[in-house]
Amino acid sequence: MNQYPDNTYTSENYSDVLTSRKREKFLFENNRERKSAYALHQPVITYKAPAKLVQNEFVMRITVDSSSITELRHLILKSCGDLVLFMRVKPIDHASKMKVWLCLSKSSVDTIISHIVRALPQAEFGKITPLLAA
């Protein structure tokens, strides 16, 4: 028995009939037809480019005299403390010089170099290399 007789359609409930018929058709169509219908609307991706590694953290190497290491540490902690992620200090040449590694972001390299050059002009700057993920 039909819920809506043919001669009682009005403009208000006709849209309800259409939506219910669409829903019924969707529920009763077989799975292959549904998958093929969805496949027409989705883009086809043949090959996906490999994700590029974006390197944000870098290691800067600096060599200073052992007498100025305290000044360098205070300078870094005072003016650049929020820009440096970590700092490692190692004595070299029988402790006459100290090697310092600073881990920092790429955007903060220029700022830190300018602060160190102003305070310690005798500091020697080494390589700035990306920090490799372990």
Side-chain angles (χ1 to χ4, degrees), residues 12-60:
E12 296 170 8
N13 64 6
Y14 186 73
S15 61
D16 296 335
V17 172
L18 285 178
T19 55
S20 67
R21 298 287 171 113
K22 286 179 185 176
R23 190 177 311 122
E24 288 173 9
K25 182 181 176 191
F26 177 77
L27 291 175
F28 292 110
E29 67 187 3
N30 69 18
N31 198 17
R32 279 191 204 160
E33 292 175 5
R34 204 176 313 150
K35 283 185 180 177
S36 65
Y38 287 137
L40 295 176
H41 298 293
Q42 294 178 349
V44 177
I45 299 173
T46 55
Y47 293 101
K48 200 172 192 180
K52 292 184 181 179
L53 176 67
V54 177
Q55 189 65 45
N56 290 329
E57 297 174 348
F58 289 83
V59 175
M60 177 191 298

Side-chain angles (χ1 to χ4, degrees), residues 12-116:
E12 296 170 8
N13 64 6
Y14 186 73
S15 61
D16 296 335
V17 172
L18 285 178
T19 55
S20 67
R21 298 287 171 113
K22 286 179 185 176
R23 190 177 311 122
E24 288 173 9
K25 182 181 176 191
F26 177 77
L27 291 175
F28 292 110
E29 67 187 3
N30 69 18
N31 198 17
R32 279 191 204 160
E33 292 175 5
R34 204 176 313 150
K35 283 185 180 177
S36 65
Y38 287 137
L40 295 176
H41 298 293
Q42 294 178 349
V44 177
I45 299 173
T46 55
Y47 293 101
K48 200 172 192 180
K52 292 184 181 179
L53 176 67
V54 177
Q55 189 65 45
N56 290 329
E57 297 174 348
F58 289 83
V59 175
M60 177 191 298
R61 293 164 182 80
I62 305 168
T63 306
V64 293
D65 292 332
S66 59
S67 60
S68 59
I69 190 68
T70 306
E71 187 179 352
L72 176 67
R73 288 181 64 204
H74 285 297
L75 171 77
I76 289 172
L77 293 175
K78 200 177 207 182
S79 61
C80 314
D82 56 338
L83 301 175
V84 177
L85 300 173
F86 73 84
M87 176 172 56
R88 178 180 175 214
V89 179
K90 178 183 174 186
I92 54 171
D93 294 338
H94 300 290
S96 64
K97 291 191 176 192
M98 296 285 211
K99 190 180 278 191
V100 179
W101 290 268
L102 298 176
C103 180
L104 40 94
S105 64
K106 187 176 184 178
S107 60
S108 62
V109 171
D110 293 333
T111 306
I112 291 176
I113 288 176
S114 65
H115 282 298
I116 293 173

